[in-house]
Amino acid sequence: MENPRHLMSPLDFSVEEIDALMALASDIEAHPDKYSHACEGKKLATLFYEPSTRTRLSFEAAMLNLGGKVLGFPSGDVSSASKGESVADTIRVISCFADIAAMRHPKEGAPMVAAKFSKIPVINAGDGGHQHPTQTLLDLFTIKKLRGSLSDMTIGFCGDLKFGRTVHSLINALARYTGIKVVLISPDELRVPDYIREDVLEHNHIPYEEVTKLEDVIGKLDILYMTRVQRERFFNEEDYLRMKDFYILDNAKMALAKPDMYVLHPLPRVNEISVEVDSDPRAKYFEQVQNGVYIRMALILTLLNIHVS
Ligand code: NCD
């Protein structure tokens, strides 16, 4: 492919392109058969240097649904990375085997390095605590389906806002819509990084507040985005143990929320949402997973420049 297009950050797509992607995902959802041979003869490589169930299998399901094939590795220790191969060399090699690649890496920026050396489109499937653009696309798609619009809402982010890359990516993406208010709910130690507060929220004049208690603010939210405390990014286990059960969303807290406040979570969930909330019609985290397959199908088609009429 000449100059392949990559996806590193949700801002790599314009608002119009994200609209087009969501429209395509909706069409795929409504008419899956129309797309079932669209990627025949194409291969997706999933290069996962960090554990994942949902994201990797969601990418693989997306490619299989499009009639394509998949290959790859599920962790750094079973790839040549364990022999010391660089990401640049790995992607040069993978470019000979596959038509498109999705890469997850514990190091921030690793997929950008891969993109630089790649002959095929590279999708950032999560890099350290930095970005997770495909999660953001599925979050946007889910919010749009639930509310009809991505503008004019108060969204609360709760949990590990320091290391949670899904939060960083989604805040970046929402900064381009109008009428967004952000409520950041975290323990003091897990507040969003300064660059999100200063370069994204303040720079874009987005009203925001930072609080520690979920109960104090849940009543004003339209969307509550819960997150897991990111154990693997902590420097010591003691801090993790102190923080891990800081928030537990249960039915008592849900009773304080608006009747049309939706709960999202990128999953995996640990203890931060009690299982009793799963049967609340406002709990939408499992729908997000389904939407993720449609949006990744739309993304693969778009980056491969495949049009289905
Ligand atoms: C998220 C991730 O990997 O950042 N998971 C996912 O991709 N659905 C969230 C998390 O691991 O907590």
Side-chain angles (χ1 to χ4, degrees), residues 156-159 161 183-186 211-214 217 221 224 247:
F157 292 92
C158 178
L161 310 189
V183 184
L184 302 166
I185 310 149
S186 75
V211 300
T212 29
K213 274 188 87 181
L214 177 56
V217 291
L221 304 179
L224 171 58
Y247 297 107

Side-chain angles (χ1 to χ4, degrees), residues 54-55 104 132 135 165-166 228 230 266-268:
R54 226 158 332 271
T55 305
R104 168 169 291 192
H132 192 347
Q135 178 68 42
R165 58 192 170 199
T166 60
R228 159 183 86 88
Q230 307 276 303
L267 304 179

